[in-house]
Amino acid sequence: MEAVVCIKPVPEADSRLRVAPSGATYDPEGLRYTLNSTYDEAAVEEALRLREAGAIEKVHVVSLGPARAEEGVRYALAMGADDGLLLETGPGDAFDPGATANLLAGAIQTGPHDLVLVGRRAGDDETGMVGSALGEHLGIPSFAFVTGISVEGPSGSLRLRRFTEAGEEVLSVSLPVVVSLLKGAQDPRTPTLPNILKARRKPLVHQPLSEVLARLPAPPVRSLPVRFDLPAPRTGARLVEYQNPSEAAEKLVRLLREEAKVL
Amino acid sequence: MPISFDLTPEQRELQGLASKFAREEMTPRAAECDRTGRFPEEVYRRAWELGLMNLNVPAEYGGSGLPLLDQCLITEELASACGGMTTSILANCLALQPINLGGSPEQRERFLKPFCSEYRLASFALTEPGGGSDAGALKTRAIREGDSYLLTGQKCFITNAPQASLYTVFATVDPEKKHAGITAFVVPRETPGVSLGREEDKLGQRASSTATVTLERARVPLQNRLGGEGEGFKLAMATLDSTRTPIGALAVGIARAALEHASRYALQRSSFGVPIAQHQAIATKLGTMVQELEASRLLTWLSAWMVDQGKRATLESSVAKCYASDSAMHICDEAIQIFGGYGYMRDYPVEKLLRDAKLCQIYEGANEIQRLVIAREYLRRFS
């Protein structure tokens, strides 16, 4: 049994975004990319634990992105994944979640993929759709909002813990399957220095996107970004001057009622 | 080989690991350990687990055997969070380097491997109460008795001494011979006759521990002598030649933190209706600080690159250490000035940086000695 973890490189959380000259997206120039930390690290960690528990033999990592996305794949290799594949996009290439899933599925289909793992959503565009779309394109079931995977029950199946607002649910699912992970109790490992050095010698293939596109029966349907606006800058806090607490309360209530209109 | 200042993806990853460790493990504890002088063993254990200790131990003994430039990249990141913790993390590199350089294969196997298979600390013990810079005049005696030596003397200002399991000690077999009598020994902590003085209460780098090690007829087997009798002075100097550059990187890390704090503050603090960064008096200070920081970093990279190329780097490593530590003092001083009264308060982070930076001018060869070395090395070109 082998697992494939799909990861996405996203700008570091403290990046200062600028609108790209096209006006349609953010400008990737000068940004530092990292593994989609909140969820993808959890997905890699979950796969590594299943491998350590003997449930799977290999953990493959796949990513779709520009050449610099290699750093995110290397990070997953340094965490312990066995090999990596980067579907390398060119300048100006932009894919929506459906097209991304279509392209990833095109690559995943060529190898063993008993368990396909994705993070719940990306830290930049936050769509959270690639997992379900991957299930569709691979023709296998997909499960979202999963917090943990364990090896129980009959062979060829896994136990999933799903978090819902109503409570936690445990499912037995048969393979192959796509699982979209929430950050659960994984506490993803930090790659150690020796493992970073070892990861350099692990196989990482750059595959030009044209090769993947050629294998698809039809070009992926996609939406195109039209405009991207940054959030309006926040205005500073307003200080209310007062002589005594009752005056302060009076002034605050009036502001909340008349200006903020929340009362 | 063409010159390039581009870091490799691997170097950026190592830098990223160190930066993450610094941010998550060191920064949250830096102020507390500075105030109380606590030795944050949990931080050092975690550093060991991640492979951030023993960077210079070759891979065949379980270390990572990183090039010096990579070691400097890591050191700068760590030091930007806490200079004292960085000193304690680096102390193993300094203590184990004489074994790396002067030990037999059997000694390297016996002494280096345990440090890579479990968390342990070691200390480099050269300085004595009566002399630091004049290392040739050390007084600790080593008297041969059969198949062992009896070591008697005092070693002071020894980093990590209270927690170390092993000391590399420099002693003389014959004080008359001066430099030519100095011999290096590996002394396990549990050796009868080895005792510790109280922990020093320091101005800065308070998360690191420092104590005096006293040797009273401590019996050390012949198998623990590194190299031959009289080869210790050269070994100590060769060790310091290769560990001096990271002290430059450590100073760069402290200075970078000071400059970043000062820059953020100068943009946020207003006077006369504008952020103080817009006043020329503050902007020119920042301009000078940036120059000093950039120059310091480039000098440490140059020195590290030369060592990695196998070139003699006595001059360059002294320049890097001396210039970077003097600059760090100036940058931290100016950072406090930019913060004004707040900078003088313990509630703000910059005064700690100044106290931490001060040690960089003193340890691993005081800057006065560095200047002598630099002049001597330079003048050789004319004779």
Side-chain angles (χ1 to χ4, degrees), chain A:
Chain A
M1 185 171 137
E2 303 192 10
V4 179
V5 187
C6 301
I7 62 166
K8 179 181 183 183
V10 296
E12 282 188 344
D14 57 357
S15 304
R16 285 180 171 227
L17 296 186
R18 284 184 314 256
V19 178
S22 70
T25 180
Y26 62 81
D27 190 352
E29 198 52 46
L31 294 179
R32 273 189 76 127
Y33 279 73
T34 168
L35 195 60
N36 176 28
S37 59
T38 323
Y39 302 109
D40 289 2
E41 274 181 38
V44 174
E45 178 66 33
E46 197 70 44
L48 295 176
R49 288 187 187 196
L50 289 168
R51 191 187 62 192
E52 281 155 10
I56 52 181
E57 290 97 56
K58 280 201 160 163
V59 176
H60 311 282
V61 173
V62 184
S63 187
L64 172 79
R68 63 166 180 274
E70 179 176 333
E71 289 191 30
V73 180
R74 286 279 177 211
Y75 190 88
L77 295 180
M79 283 177 76
D82 294 287
D83 52 48
L85 171 66
L86 176 62
L87 308 178
E88 199 177 319
T89 58
D93 278 347
F95 297 99
D96 68 8
T100 300
N102 198 345
L103 293 165
L104 288 171
I108 291 170
Q109 255 157 355
T110 62
H113 56 281
D114 309 276
L115 174 64
V116 180
L117 288 163
V118 298
R120 179 201 166 185
R121 64 174 184 221
D124 53 354
D125 59 21
E126 311 243 358
T127 69
M129 286 154 58
V130 172
S132 322
L134 257 179
E136 177 69 21
H137 286 293
L138 290 168
I140 60 177
S142 66
F143 294 87
F145 298 101
V146 173
T147 53
I149 305 174
S150 53
V151 196
E152 284 171 74
S155 75
S157 74
L158 287 172
R159 287 273 165 93
L160 307 181
R161 283 189 308 284
R162 274 188 84 239
F163 179 81
T164 72
E165 290 212 344
E168 198 175 48
E169 133 180 298
V170 178
L171 304 170
S172 175
V173 299
S174 54
L175 304 175
V177 69
V178 178
V179 173
S180 165
L181 273 161
L182 278 182
K183 197 171 180 168
Q186 293 92 358
D187 190 17
R189 66 196 70 186
T190 300
T192 63
L193 191 148
N195 285 343
I196 289 175
L197 300 180
K198 271 187 216 143
R200 286 282 138 200
R201 295 191 293 274
K202 290 184 178 177
L204 195 167
V205 175
H206 284 241
Q207 193 171 48
L209 207 57
S210 52
E211 286 181 21
V212 189
L213 284 165
R215 277 203 301 271
L216 295 181
V221 179
R222 52 181 163 134
S223 57
L224 287 173
V226 178
R227 215 178 94 180
F228 175 73
D229 294 315
L230 292 171
R234 258 185 272 177
T235 52
R238 187 158 139 206
L239 294 175
V240 177
E241 289 187 16
Y242 60 92
Q243 303 295 329
N244 53 56
S246 67
E247 188 197 341
E250 201 183 305
K251 284 186 168 173
L252 285 174
V253 168
R254 188 167 56 219
L255 288 171
L256 289 171
R257 191 172 279 155
E258 290 167 13
E259 292 194 15
K261 297 192 184 353
V262 293
L263 291 179

Side-chain angles (χ1 to χ4, degrees), chain A residues 32 41 70-71 74-75 78 188-194 196-197 199-200, chain B residues 9-10 12-15 17 20 24 46 49-52 55 64 66 74:
Chain A
R32 273 189 76 127
E41 274 181 38
E70 179 176 333
E71 289 191 30
R74 286 279 177 211
Y75 190 88
R189 66 196 70 186
T190 300
T192 63
L193 191 148
I196 289 175
L197 300 180
R200 286 282 138 200
Chain B
E10 182 178 286
R12 283 203 302 274
E13 270 181 80
L14 297 176
Q15 209 177 28
L17 167 69
K20 185 173 182 221
E24 292 176 359
R46 184 74 184 127
E49 285 167 11
L50 290 173
L52 291 169
L55 299 173
S64 47
L66 283 187
I74 290 172

